[in-house]
Structures are given as C-alpha cells and as structure tokens.
Amino acid sequence: MNVGDMVAPRAAFGEAMVELGKQNAEVVVFDADVCASTQTVAFKKAYPGRFYQMGIAEQNMVSAAAGMSTLGFVPWVSTFAVFLAKRAVDQVRVSVAYPRMNVKLNGAYGGIPTGKAGATHQSVEDIAVMRCMPNMTVICPGDPYETQLAVHAATAFKGPVYVRTIRCPVPVIFDAAHRFEIGRSYRLHEGSRLTIIGTDMMTPKALTAARELDKEGIAVRMIHMPTIKPIDEAAIVAASRETGRVITVENHSRLGGLGGAVAEVLTEYAPCRLTRLGFPDCFGESGDNEAIFSKFGVNVENIIAAAKQAVADQ
Amino acid sequence: MIINTVADAGAGHTGGSLSEVEILVSLYFELMRIDPARPEWPQRDRFILSKGHASPGYYCTLARRGYFPRERLREFDGIDSMLQGHPCMLKTPGVDMSTGSLGQGLSAGIGMRLGGERRSLDFNVYVLLGDGECQEGQVWEAAMWAGARKLRGLIAIVDCNGVQLAGTVAETLGLEPFAAKWEAFGWRALTCDGHDMQEVVSTLAQAKQSAADGPVAVIARTVKGKGVSFMEGKYEWHGKAPNDDERRKALAEIEGSA
C-alpha cells in the first residue's frame, strides 16, 4: 500500500485482522452474517476455530463477546456501524462498556458509503452514540494504512474500543513513518489563516482542500483527528488561539460527532467561530457516494467554500 | 436478610428476591463449584443474575456464602456502595457479570462457555432469568444460538413467579407453552417447584448432568414475594421495599414459619 493508492479501509481492516490473528492467539472474531462485507471473511478462513458466526442476531453477539472476554480473550465484534451503534447499543452499553470489558467493536460501513444501500444503512449517528458512552474509546482512522495501525492499537489497549471502518476505496495518505497513537491528532498541513479539522475519510478530502487553498494563497492548518474520544483537546485549543477560526468536516451527522466534540472543547476553553461541515439533520438516500456528499454539502468544494467564507468574515 | 436489606435501603426489588431464594441457595450451597475466598478462580462455575433487579436476594446469598461480610448489606443502594441496585462485577466480589438491562445474561453466559471451551475449562454457567424477562427478544436469540450449536455447560433457570412490574405475566404477554418453547429451540427443559428445596436441588443436579450434552432450561414455578402473605403474587411488590411496619410484619411471618 503506497501513498496515493486507492484502497478500501474495510479491505485493509480484513488484512490487519489476519495479521493480528497470527500475532495474538487470544483474538477471536464475532460476526452477524456480514463477514463478506466487513471483510472478516479472511480471518474466518485463516482461523476458523476463532471465528464465531452468530447469525443475524446482533444483540446476542455483543453480549456473548462480552462474556467471552471475561476469560481473557480479546473479541472483535464486527458488523455494520448502524447495527452496533443502534440496534445493539444497549448491549454495548450494559454488557461491554459498563463492566469495561476488553471488547473491540468494528463499526463497518461508517457514514455515507454503503454501496447504494441508502438511509437505513448509512451510519451518520454512530460517533455521537459511542462518544457519549462512558468507558468507550472511539477511533475513526483517516486512511487504510491508519486503519491497520488502529486495529493493533485498539487490541493493545485495555478496554472497549470502537473503530469505524469505511466501505469504499479512499486514498492512502500515510506511510510507514506514521505513528498512530490513541488520543493524538496529526497536523498534515501548516497555515495560520484558519484550521480545518477532519476525521476518517474526510481527512483526505480536507487535505486536498487545504492544498487547493494554498495554491490560492490561503494557508490553513489541517489537523487529522482520528481519535474522537478521548479527543486531543490541546490541539483544538491551540488551533483556536493560533489561527482564530475552526472548520470541522466529517462523514457523519453535524450533530454530536467531531463537530460536536470540537464545539464542546472550544466553548469551554478557547471560544472562536466554528463551522461544522457534516451530514445535515436528515436521512440520507441511495446513490453514488460522491453525489451524496455533494448533494448534502460535505465534499472538497464545500470545504474550500467554507474556508473562503471564513476568511471573508475575518 | 432480604427484608432487612431492602427495608434498610428503603428501596429494592423485594418480590423477585423472595421468589429466587431456594434457587440461589441450591446453587451456592449445593451445586456450584466455587471458592468464595477466590472469586476469580478460573475453574469456578459462573452465575449470572440476568434478572439483575433481584439483587437483594443475590447479595444476601453471596454474603451468607462468605464473599463479603454480612454487615456490608447495609450499604445496599447507598452512595459509594459496592452493592449497586443492579449487580456490578467491578464492585462486588463474587459477581461474575454486570446486569440490569433485561435479556442480556443468557448471551453473556454463551460467551463464557465459549471462552471455557477454548481454555479447556469444564465449568458450568448458570443464568437466572425472570419469566417476564423472557419477553425480551435477545433471550430467544441466545436460546436459538445455544440450541442450534448444542452448547454444553449452559443452564438457564427461569424464576417463573408469574408476576412482572405492572401486572401478571399472563395478562402482560403470556409465555405458555413455556417449556415447549425452550424445547423447540433445541434445549432440554425441566420443570420444578421452585420453593421445594429438595426438588430444586435434585432438578438442578439433573440439569447439571444433562448440560454435558447441550443446553438445559429449568423452569422453576415460584411465587413472587414468597413467604410474606401480603406480598405474595402482588405486582405492587415488584420494585418496592417495605416500610417499618411492613418490615415487622414480614419478618414475623418469615421467622414464624422458619
């Protein structure tokens, strides 16, 4: 995998799980009949004895994984983000988060890209739901390479972790020099006019926007925020104090996700104007991913327009 | 002990705690392989109170069995207490699983047995459910899975006291034919009088033996609020603690019959 390649994070996740299975015999995988989609099918083939097919019954799956973790195993529960963060959310809360079980959750098909499956399968609330849950760590990797690093970091971490994986191919932006750490953000572009903070597959888009803006003489700071919880508060405060204006962009509802988390930090410690780019408060629809992003205002051109507006306001 | 625990706290689920007593005593004093001095012993049998609201009966059993001093029962439901309204495995010695939201315990029991299989540990997992709780869909997701896989070492015990929070089980959402439902999901179903100690012990012993071949459900016919005439069969006593006067009357009845 090289910088610039287009790779689906779900495929990278599937590969990472196989590697993880080789390194760590305590890792087991729970699936609810979506392994061909989430790509844990590779783990199933490599380690059939450590793969538990639970059928289309997510609630039982989540609580069973919690029970198995009490024996010292590290279960990765893998299904679509919509089901983990909504259908089985009470099981995540009471069976996993409350007793601080060492269970890892793969929220596959995060956000809009679902292969045209439409509103029911588009998870635009999962970050908000998982973020407000005590004991839960929330990671939204920015590219396929970081997805793999996040799999290993989440496994090494003791306690519940939610990792969001994306269905469609996205550009690889990180290389072997990237050091992923839970709770840390990464400055990918330097500038002082304002700060754009991106997460998951919106980070490559935000980076593209930052580079475009640079060409037009608007130098912006671009921060990648892979861990939504615990969020890198210091980086957000510094962005406000040093650049005076913040834009967030996410493949998620504008309510309660990255934008919400950044707003909380800014309001409390370093108030400045904030523009939250994200999915509006409505249900999505079927269609090409890029067409949906454009229709609902979360694409590269929207980021550029928001940045120019912010500069014009100054 | 149960009456005093809930009355001291001024809160707690009295009815469902009194219906489960014989089941808990049979498990903790006769059948389970446990060592209260080593609550984390890997070889131990596990117990999950899926009907987590019946924690007073559970805590009294654990205290009696020596997991913690009986005096600690006075902390029940209090601030900073190790005895939460619903069981918390991080706070209470002897509690194998945190519960409280109904329907999750049997699934957790499946996971514990899967872990046991992978570690080659032959412990049994006993999961105590309420009959009203079996209205939760997750119970049947778990029943379906354990039955289809013929999962060994898993024993579901249903405290069938026939009464739930706001009425009887029959009028709320009836479960009969209950044993046939478990059997249809691939479980062996046994039935007993949940207040006849000898029958409870012998039925659970039979279940334990049978669990070597696949999952077993024990349907224990019980009475909510058992032992206190004014509580028996009354949904009003599902989630309420007795006041001082009621405590005296209840204790007099229980001690009088003992």
Side-chain angles (χ1 to χ4, degrees):
Chain A
M1 181 183 324
N2 298 306
V3 171
D5 289 354
M6 294 294 286
V7 177
R10 64 167 169 162
F13 170 80
E15 271 178 29
M17 289 305 296
V18 173
E19 176 60 27
L20 181 64
K22 187 161 58 175
Q23 292 174 10
N24 188 339
E26 306 290 83
V27 170
V28 296
V29 169
F30 282 75
D31 174 48
D33 191 34
V34 288
C35 61
S37 304
T38 62
Q39 302 288 303
T40 53
V41 65
F43 186 97
K44 177 189 178 183
K45 283 185 189 140
Y47 315 104
R50 287 194 271 151
F51 179 88
Y52 295 96
Q53 179 52 262
M54 304 307 285
I56 307 170
E58 292 82 6
Q59 302 174 43
N60 181 50
M61 171 171 69
V62 170
S63 297
M68 190 160 184
S69 75
T70 66
L71 273 289
F73 293 98
V74 187
W76 270 86
V77 177
S78 177
T79 186
F80 296 154
V82 274
F83 302 139
L84 273 181
K86 268 86 76 176
R87 190 176 196 112
V89 72
D90 187 47
Q91 286 70 23
V92 169
R93 179 172 184 267
V94 177
S95 289
V96 174
Y98 179 45
R100 217 160 45 231
M101 297 296 196
N102 197 22
V103 172
K104 316 304 166 185
L105 306 166
N106 170 38
Y109 289 26
I112 293 303
T114 56
K116 304 190 180 180
T120 56
H121 284 53
Q122 288 163 340
S123 186
V124 292
E125 314 90 348
D126 57 321
I127 297 175
V129 169
M130 290 297 175
R131 187 169 80 81
C132 69
M133 201 170 296
N135 292 341
M136 186 62 71
T137 293
V138 180
I139 305 175
C140 303
D143 82 341
Y145 185 70
E146 194 179 60
T147 299
Q148 298 191 323
L149 299 180
V151 163
H152 292 280
T155 307
F157 182 88
K158 188 105 176 105
V161 183
Y162 179 76
V163 179
R164 199 181 204 228
T165 56
I166 302 300
R167 180 186 188 275
C168 66
V170 300
V172 176
I173 58 170
F174 293 114
D175 59 23
H178 184 51
R179 295 283 169 267
F180 175 78
E181 286 169 39
I182 292 173
R184 208 194 128 180
S185 68
Y186 301 85
R187 273 201 217 177
L188 304 184
H189 196 272
E190 294 298 340
S192 59
R193 296 296 295 277
L194 56 86
T195 299
I196 303 172
I197 306 177
T199 194
D200 97 13
M201 68 176 292
M202 285 299 154
T203 284
K205 287 180 188 286
L207 187 55
T208 301
R211 288 171 179 158
E212 291 296 319
L213 287 162
D214 217 24
K215 285 180 200 159
E216 297 183 37
I218 303 171
V220 304
R221 178 181 296 180
M222 196 269 136
I223 295 175
H224 170 47
M225 190 71 72
T227 309
I228 307 297
K229 185 184 168 190
I231 202 156
D232 188 347
E233 294 186 347
I236 297 168
V237 169
S240 173
R241 294 199 176 133
E242 290 159 23
T243 73
R245 182 73 198 248
V246 176
I247 296 171
T248 56
V249 54
E250 61 196 304
N251 169 30
H252 182 273
S253 171
R254 293 176 55 196
L255 308 179
L258 172 70
V262 169
E264 289 163 15
V265 175
L266 288 177
T267 309
E268 189 157 3
Y269 301 111
C272 74
R273 275 200 69 190
L274 167 69
T275 303
R276 292 169 298 138
L277 296 179
F279 210 74
D281 184 23
C282 67
F283 284 100
E285 63 184 68
S286 298
D288 283 325
N289 299 329
E290 294 306 313
I292 298 174
F293 285 134
S294 291
K295 175 172 176 176
F296 292 97
V298 257
N299 229 333
V300 175
E301 55 271 26
N302 307 106
I303 304 170
I304 292 172
K308 285 181 177 171
Q309 182 62 51
V311 169
D313 291 344
Q314 283 168 353
Chain B
M1 277 170 86
I2 292 171
I3 295 292
N4 281 325
T5 299
V6 291
D8 285 346
H13 289 74
T14 312
S17 287
L18 293 175
S19 61
E20 70 188 0
V21 171
E22 289 84 354
I23 298 165
L24 289 171
V25 170
S26 301
L27 289 172
Y28 275 91
F29 291 84
E30 284 288 332
L31 290 149
M32 281 170 61
R33 180 173 68 199
I34 46 171
D35 179 0
R38 289 183 293 161
E40 305 287 325
W41 181 36
Q43 278 80 13
R44 75 190 185 282
D45 286 337
R46 271 70 169 170
F47 173 79
I48 299 171
L49 185 69
S50 196
K51 47 172 273 182
H53 54 273
S55 57
Y58 184 29
Y59 295 152
C60 290
T61 309
L62 291 174
R64 262 289 174 84
R65 192 67 180 83
Y67 284 93
F68 50 83
R70 290 174 63 168
E71 296 72 53
R72 301 295 297 267
L73 292 169
R74 278 189 221 112
E75 294 177 16
F76 172 63
D77 266 359
I79 196 79
D80 294 330
S81 171
M82 73 168 197
L83 301 177
Q84 295 291 298
H86 293 81
C88 175
M89 63 192 285
L90 301 181
K91 293 191 170 161
T92 312
V95 170
D96 291 316
M97 181 69 201
S98 299
T99 52
S101 182
L102 293 176
Q104 301 190 20
L106 194 55
S107 303
I110 287 175
M112 288 180 188
R113 270 312 311 151
L114 293 177
E117 278 178 7
R118 284 208 65 76
R119 294 258 186 264
S120 300
L121 297 172
D122 68 348
F123 60 79
N124 290 310
V125 181
Y126 297 89
V127 183
L128 182 57
L129 302 103
D131 48 357
E133 179 183 7
C134 293
Q135 291 158 359
E136 288 281 6
Q138 188 183 356
V139 171
W140 301 101
E141 287 186 2
M144 196 186 313
W145 200 90
R149 300 298 160 96
K150 302 206 175 345
L151 190 68
R152 291 186 279 188
L154 182 65
I155 297 148
I157 306 160
V158 188
D159 177 3
C160 283
N161 60 35
V163 179
Q164 51 194 100
L165 187 148
T168 66
V169 173
E171 72 193 4
T172 308
L173 180 57
L175 298 164
E176 298 299 342
F178 197 43
K181 280 194 172 72
W182 290 95
E183 284 164 352
F185 279 76
W187 290 56
R188 174 150 194 227
L190 305 170
T191 301
C192 71
D193 174 344
H195 295 306
D196 180 327
M197 269 307 291
Q198 279 190 337
E199 202 178 315
V200 173
V201 170
S202 66
T203 309
L204 288 175
Q206 198 186 341
K208 180 177 168 178
Q209 203 165 22
S210 195
D213 301 318
V216 186
V218 175
I219 294 160
R221 301 288 173 192
T222 59
V223 176
K224 193 141 183 162
K226 176 69 178 176
V228 180
S229 61
F230 58 90
M231 294 181 184
E232 286 191 359
K234 298 273 187 0
Y235 71 85
E236 292 85 349
W237 284 97
H238 169 84
K240 173 169 104 157
N243 62 29
D244 288 346
D245 189 38
E246 290 160 340
R247 178 200 318 227
R248 272 191 297 276
K249 284 181 189 156
L251 290 175
E253 285 191 25
I254 292 168
E255 281 155 13
S257 68

